[in-house]
Amino acid sequence: MTKDQTLTGRRLFTRRLFTRRHLLTGTAALLGAAGTAGTAALLVGDGAPGPAPARALAPAAGPPGRPALRPSAYRLEPIAGYGPRTRRRTLVRAGVRREPYLRVDGRGRSMVLTFDDGPDPRFTPDILRILRRHDVRAMFFVCGEMAVQHQDLLREMADDGHAVGNHTWSHPLLTTLPRSRVHTEMARTSEIIEKAYGEPPLWFRAPYGAWNRAAFRFGAELGMEPLGWTVDTLDWRRPGAHSIAERVADGAGPGVVVLSHDAGGDRSQSVAALRDYLPELLDSGYRITVPQRQYV
């Protein structure tokens, strides 16, 4: 790609985002309300089945982090130590749900970036560096067989205040497995996350988005809420960094959860796309954050 083509692509991306910005103010409430219907449930973690009233977003709980970069008007507030030693509140128990949450509270201009299948030392460190450069936090749904080999990357995620979720041990299609195997896939992964990250995961995502009753039940028993996504970047198809960034721009909106990958194949395009679209989202007024479960 030539320099002129790259500049043209960035201008189109920015124009698309700023065009959407004029629509977002009037549609934010509608998006939040739409999240209460069907599978587009609001992410609140109230411990009750089905959709629930909206809750405010906040930085994720995680082990005490390193000093944060100076925040701007669109960045998160500095990390202030959310480790298990400093948290004295009681987490509301996860309920056995019938469907995953697909978006977060539509109020404001908050979005969530999620990365599946890692950690992978070829691509995850670059993603972490990009996020750190812009002082934002994301969610990483890790596979146990990858996490056990790269526990240092989970500790780095904890240091930076990212949320780490459970994506099973070996990324199987859960709907084809016996219940005992589903439980093992989830429980083993929670154990390795707690060992490396410093606390057990609070969120779970089924591989391929294939949920069943066993996944919802065992997730709740292990203290996790199910999280799907609103926008699929389809980066696993390797359509090109520009196409990945375009999908994010087209789907950007209050409460959106974006699905990308940091492992499972060559994810260099995912890294390149993040490097392009993240500053554009921030400059367009979006707040990239992670959801927090409800406490009492």
Side-chain angles (χ1 to χ4, degrees):
M1 181 179 292
T2 67
K3 181 177 180 182
D4 289 342
Q5 289 173 321
T6 300
L7 291 174
T8 300
R10 289 180 63 86
R11 293 191 188 101
L12 289 173
F13 186 99
T14 304
R15 186 179 302 119
R16 183 180 293 105
L17 283 172
F18 275 90
T19 299
R20 289 179 58 82
R21 181 166 59 184
H22 293 292
L23 301 175
L24 289 172
T25 302
T27 59
L30 292 177
L31 286 169
T36 64
T39 57
L42 292 172
L43 182 58
V44 293
D46 62 346
R55 303 286 181 183
L57 295 175
R66 62 175 183 79
L69 301 177
R70 184 178 63 184
S72 75
Y74 304 138
R75 274 60 168 178
L76 292 176
E77 293 299 320
I79 303 170
Y82 290 93
R85 294 182 180 178
T86 60
R87 189 178 63 203
R88 295 184 175 87
R89 298 175 299 169
T90 300
L91 183 68
V92 172
R93 184 176 179 178
V96 180
R97 302 189 183 277
R98 298 179 179 178
E99 56 190 18
Y101 292 114
L102 302 184
R103 63 170 62 244
V104 296
D105 183 354
R107 292 177 298 179
R109 305 193 68 187
S110 296
M111 288 178 58
V112 177
L113 303 182
T114 67
F115 300 89
D116 285 10
D117 299 354
D120 188 321
R122 297 173 298 171
F123 310 108
T124 305
D126 286 335
I127 290 175
L128 290 172
R129 278 191 286 270
I130 295 170
L131 296 171
R132 189 179 304 127
R133 183 181 309 136
H134 295 285
D135 195 20
V136 300
R137 284 168 281 282
M139 299 185 74
F140 290 85
F141 284 93
V142 304
C143 292
E145 63 182 6
M146 297 293 289
V148 73
Q149 299 179 59
H150 309 294
Q151 297 182 47
D152 57 320
L153 290 175
L154 265 69
R155 286 188 284 270
E156 188 173 344
M157 293 172 189
D159 289 342
D160 285 358
H162 301 297
V164 173
N166 186 320
H167 200 41
T168 73
W169 187 268
S170 61
H171 204 276
L173 186 63
L174 296 181
T175 53
T176 66
L177 302 181
R179 290 165 58 85
S180 60
R181 173 76 185 283
V182 174
H183 183 272
T184 298
E185 286 276 339
M186 298 172 68
R188 289 182 68 194
T189 303
S190 286
E191 290 175 3
I192 191 61
I193 291 174
E194 183 171 10
K195 175 183 177 182
Y197 181 74
E199 64 176 19
L202 302 182
W203 310 101
F204 171 71
R205 175 174 286 169
Y208 312 105
W211 305 84
N212 60 10
R213 184 177 179 82
F216 289 122
R217 176 184 172 184
F218 294 140
E221 290 180 359
L222 292 167
M224 299 181 291
E225 290 280 15
L227 178 63
W229 58 84
T230 319
V231 174
D232 187 349
T233 63
L234 300 178
D235 59 339
W236 55 274
R237 293 181 179 176
R238 303 191 70 247
H242 179 69
S243 294
I244 295 170
E246 272 196 328
R247 291 188 68 86
V248 176
D250 289 341
V256 163
V257 177
V258 178
L259 168 64
S260 298
H261 297 80
D262 63 328
D266 182 352
R267 301 301 177 221
S268 56
Q269 293 182 359
S270 305
V271 174
L274 177 67
R275 188 177 292 114
D276 188 28
Y277 69 70
L278 179 55
E280 300 289 356
L281 289 173
L282 295 171
D283 289 343
S284 296
Y286 285 101
R287 180 174 181 264
I288 310 302
T289 185
V290 293
Q292 182 172 345
R293 293 274 297 278
Q294 185 180 358
Y295 293 85
V296 295

